[in-house]
Amino acid sequence: MTKQRHPAAQARWYGLALLCAALVSPASAAPPAKGSPEHIKAVTGRIDGKAIQANARTTADWPSYGLDYAETRFSRLDQINAGNVKNLGLVWSYNLESTRGVEATPVVVDGIMYVTGAWSIVHALDVRTGQRLWTYDPKVDRSKGYRGCCDVVNRGVALWQGKVYVAAYDGRLIALDAASGKVVWEKDTIIDHKYSYTITGAPRVVKGKVIIGNGGAEYGVRGYVTAYDASTGAQKWRWFTVPGDPSKPFEDESMAKAAKTWDPAGKWWEAGGGGTAWDTMAFDPELNLLYIGTGNGSPWARSKRSPAGGDNLYLASLVALNPDTGKYVWHYQETPGDNWDYTSTQPMILADLKIGGKPRKVILHAPKNGFFFVVDRTNGQFISAKNFVDVNWATGYDANGRPVEVAEARSTDKPYDSIPGPFGAHNWHSMSFNPKTGLVYLPAQNVPLNLMDDKGWSFNSNKPGQPHSGMGWNTAMFANAEPPKSKPFGRLIAWDPVAQKEAWRVEHVSPWNGGTLTTAGNLVFQGTADGRFVAYNATTGEKLWETPTGTGVVAAPSTYLVDGKQYVSIAVGWGGVYGLSMRTTDRKGPGTVYTFAAGGTAKAPDFVDYKLGALLKGVDYDPKHYQEGTLIYVSNCVFCHGVPGVDRGGNIPNLGYSSADIIGNLDRFVFKGPGMANGMPDFTGKLTSDDVAKIKAFIQGTADAIRPK
């Protein structure tokens, strides 16, 4: 006699049988194919704060902009090391289809790469094949490229729970499905579109919130950072970096405190005040602190924005915020009363060091002003600062962490050769820290430029001779009123942050070299302005390997494991504010991602020679227009096109080597011209036909003046 089971028991046995069948079924047991939408969804879906922290212990993936929350850019991988790096070879290259600057660090999770090119276009690639999975173009209005100071660049994306986040040049924050590239949500981060806000930085995701700042201090904006819910895009908090109009209620106590350090006679709020947080961020999960770096004053000249002086908080500062609420916790101001475009937006690194025999939790920072700072990240206490390049605006920092300024550096009535200049002793190019060597690997530079206060400036005055004022710049300073005397250079410096001294250096042929990556294999990788990707011994600085990249490199590389094998990738493409009008290479090519591994044998893509052309001649002009044309050119053209015939052009052509047909018919290019599709501004309503005739006189007159006799 067969015993009957209770119906509920039968259901349980039936469910168990189905489960067992599923477990042993070959079809259901097979993992999704690598690179398939199911695989991408699975591997990106697991990225959250715990995964980023766990990966920092192995660094098998590169899941966020600076690799880890501390932004160390130190990989623990050592398959590729000082002993075998000579065997590196190209595995594949990928065309980003861009002719403008490429500043992104590739983010990679289990062989799925996300990287951005110019105009904030996102590319998803399969590292295993080098093939495109999808692209997303946010369709930034190309005619509005002039609204940013420093090229139409983007430094990369953030990943979180199956989404890719990109901050578009025009100020939108966009969440994409990681597997398909389809838009999940989109938010406009700009508080007022009548001002020239842009975004070039990579977002970070902290505790389920996407954090992003913005740029635009040259144009007259007020800086802020905003946090959005990673799932929905709902705004969670916003913190302003400088105070607003004092006739209105301040947003919080930190703004009321800051306002006491500004002189209202300068009506700083009309020019925004500046302080834009356009790049660096880091996060300490243990302390639950988010760190940001703030930018320069708007306008640059303190005598105009705050005539009575003052520190002008929170310009040029490191600031700690509570990531849950956005509330201010502490700050350390590196350049009080900034007067030289000395931003503190350069990449910071969190490290635990033994200083004075005691363990300290610190921030390592090398901002534009030329000093390397070590600051206690628990409370903002100053520990030390030492100049890593020659400087002439301060002799050092006192025990309280304030600079000992050189009085002439704030001269208002004559040009001052500020060293470093506004391009910075270190700009946005990423540095890295290797705890094995104890060294920071820092791209350092000097780009000569002198400054003098413009006593005739007023907000949006746009007078001929005011630098780039026709494009909306508000610096309240003249640039290079006389030829600067300092010398340009670019170098890679290995810096000991405990001893505060240089361990070794490599001299480059030009400023504006790429960011760095360091590894447990005792290596430092860096791309160069003259079109090379190089590996150095991290201890000694000895060059161990290099390969040509065709075009200059400004971005930083990343390294990671795919199926147990170590790869190194770098996105190249000359650009940025220096690269608009200057270059070191004689070859050019589209933005390109290169991926290397031991034994790689792929053929590099072809690049072409720059066609500089002959020095311009044959354009008719009235010599009487030359001087006026000079001033109009400075206000509208020089920062993009450089000095005609003197500079060689960067990713934008130098007009001194254009054809007579182009310059002779310049109005066809200036007013609703064909270049608008590539970022050329439309000067309709900004310049007159007479203005254009005077610009032509300056271009041809300068070419004639420098032509060999």
Side-chain angles (χ1 to χ4, degrees), residues 459-527:
F459 185 54
N460 285 336
S461 52
N462 188 20
K463 298 175 182 176
Q466 293 178 330
H468 230 49
S469 59
M471 295 292 95
W473 280 44
N474 280 277
T475 62
M477 284 187 165
F478 293 117
N480 286 352
E482 64 182 34
K485 299 179 179 63
S486 65
K487 301 298 182 183
F489 65 78
R491 60 180 63 134
L492 171 61
I493 294 175
W495 189 264
D496 183 334
V498 176
Q500 283 284 31
K501 66 178 183 180
E502 181 182 296
W504 53 259
R505 75 167 66 168
V506 174
E507 296 288 352
H508 293 315
V509 300
S510 166
W512 215 249
N513 299 281
T516 68
L517 155 71
T518 187
T519 77
N522 199 34
L523 293 171
V524 178
F525 289 93
Q526 184 189 31

Side-chain angles (χ1 to χ4, degrees), residues 271-296:
T276 48
W278 51 263
D279 192 31
T280 189
M281 285 181 267
F283 173 56
D284 187 326
E286 180 183 345
L287 298 174
N288 195 37
L289 290 177
L290 172 71
Y291 307 98
I292 66 168
T294 66
N296 55 281

Side-chain angles (χ1 to χ4, degrees), residues 255-498:
M255 292 297 100
K257 176 183 176 182
K260 297 176 182 178
T261 68
W262 296 69
D263 177 12
K267 297 184 178 180
W268 77 82
W269 57 93
E270 292 183 354
T276 48
W278 51 263
D279 192 31
T280 189
M281 285 181 267
F283 173 56
D284 187 326
E286 180 183 345
L287 298 174
N288 195 37
L289 290 177
L290 172 71
Y291 307 98
I292 66 168
T294 66
N296 55 281
S298 179
W300 289 1
R302 187 180 65 169
S303 65
K304 286 293 185 179
R305 69 173 186 266
S306 189
D311 287 353
N312 297 174
L313 295 173
Y314 297 94
L315 297 179
S317 297
L318 299 176
V319 181
L321 303 175
N322 182 318
D324 300 314
T325 63
K327 296 295 184 183
Y328 163 92
V329 179
W330 60 254
H331 79 277
Y332 170 66
Q333 191 171 41
E334 294 174 326
T335 310
D338 169 49
N339 196 57
W340 309 273
D341 187 23
Y342 283 166
T343 64
S344 289
T345 49
Q346 288 56 56
M348 71 177 83
I349 293 172
L350 311 185
D352 295 343
L353 301 177
K354 183 172 286 187
I355 299 174
K358 298 179 180 179
R360 302 290 295 269
K361 296 180 179 297
V362 302
I363 294 175
L364 308 177
H365 200 225
K368 274 189 180 181
N369 74 15
F371 286 86
F372 191 102
F373 292 87
V374 181
V375 176
D376 189 313
R377 71 175 183 269
T378 68
N379 55 20
Q381 179 184 345
F382 170 82
I383 296 175
S384 65
K386 180 69 174 178
N387 58 299
F388 59 91
V389 297
D390 291 337
V391 302
N392 70 352
W393 70 277
T395 58
Y397 278 69
D398 65 22
N400 296 316
R402 292 191 66 87
V404 181
E405 290 189 12
V406 175
E408 304 93 275
R410 289 192 185 271
S411 171
T412 61
D413 58 354
K414 61 182 179 180
Y416 187 75
D417 230 7
S418 59
I419 303 174
F423 286 89
H426 174 218
N427 208 290
W428 61 268
H429 312 82
S430 306
M431 63 184 191
S432 56
F433 172 64
N434 190 321
K436 290 181 173 290
T437 64
L439 300 176
V440 173
Y441 303 99
L442 166 63
Q445 63 181 22
N446 183 53
V447 178
L449 192 73
N450 65 48
L451 301 172
M452 182 175 73
D453 280 24
D454 177 1
K455 296 181 179 180
W457 174 87
S458 60
F459 185 54
N460 285 336
S461 52
N462 188 20
K463 298 175 182 176
Q466 293 178 330
H468 230 49
S469 59
M471 295 292 95
W473 280 44
N474 280 277
T475 62
M477 284 187 165
F478 293 117
N480 286 352
E482 64 182 34
K485 299 179 179 63
S486 65
K487 301 298 182 183
F489 65 78
R491 60 180 63 134
L492 171 61
I493 294 175
W495 189 264
D496 183 334
V498 176

Side-chain angles (χ1 to χ4, degrees), residues 443-683:
Q445 63 181 22
N446 183 53
V447 178
L449 192 73
N450 65 48
L451 301 172
M452 182 175 73
D453 280 24
D454 177 1
K455 296 181 179 180
W457 174 87
S458 60
F459 185 54
N460 285 336
S461 52
N462 188 20
K463 298 175 182 176
Q466 293 178 330
H468 230 49
S469 59
M471 295 292 95
W473 280 44
N474 280 277
T475 62
M477 284 187 165
F478 293 117
N480 286 352
E482 64 182 34
K485 299 179 179 63
S486 65
K487 301 298 182 183
F489 65 78
R491 60 180 63 134
L492 171 61
I493 294 175
W495 189 264
D496 183 334
V498 176
Q500 283 284 31
K501 66 178 183 180
E502 181 182 296
W504 53 259
R505 75 167 66 168
V506 174
E507 296 288 352
H508 293 315
V509 300
S510 166
W512 215 249
N513 299 281
T516 68
L517 155 71
T518 187
T519 77
N522 199 34
L523 293 171
V524 178
F525 289 93
Q526 184 189 31
T528 65
D530 61 342
R532 297 174 297 128
F533 186 38
V534 189
Y536 302 94
N537 183 301
T539 304
T540 66
E542 177 190 0
K543 184 172 70 174
L544 302 175
W545 171 86
E546 74 171 50
T547 189
T549 56
T551 184
V553 185
V554 291
S558 59
T559 188
Y560 47 87
L561 291 179
V562 178
D563 302 331
K565 185 171 185 177
Q566 185 179 357
Y567 293 79
V568 180
S569 293
I570 188 164
V572 310
W574 184 243
V577 63
Y578 181 83
L580 291 172
S581 60
M582 310 281 189
R583 61 179 169 85
T584 306
T585 58
D586 290 320
R587 309 195 79 198
K588 67 175 181 177
T592 303
V593 179
Y594 291 102
T595 291
F596 303 90
T601 58
K603 181 182 180 297
D606 292 328
F607 286 77
V608 299
D609 292 337
Y610 275 100
K611 295 181 179 178
L612 191 60
L615 193 61
L616 178 68
K617 65 178 180 180
V619 176
D620 291 334
Y621 69 96
D622 186 342
K624 294 179 182 177
H625 288 159
Y626 181 84
Q627 188 59 42
E628 287 183 83
T630 303
L631 300 178
I632 298 170
Y633 187 90
V634 166
S635 294
N636 295 277
C637 315
V638 70
F639 285 176
C640 292
H641 290 286
V643 180
V646 176
D647 301 319
R648 300 196 303 161
N651 65 23
I652 294 178
N654 183 279
L655 300 179
Y657 296 99
S658 295
S659 71
D661 186 55
I662 290 176
I663 304 303
N665 297 284
L666 194 58
D667 55 339
R668 298 180 187 175
F669 296 88
V670 168
F671 302 124
K672 298 188 185 302
M676 288 178 63
N678 297 318
M680 173 79 177
D682 174 21
F683 288 89

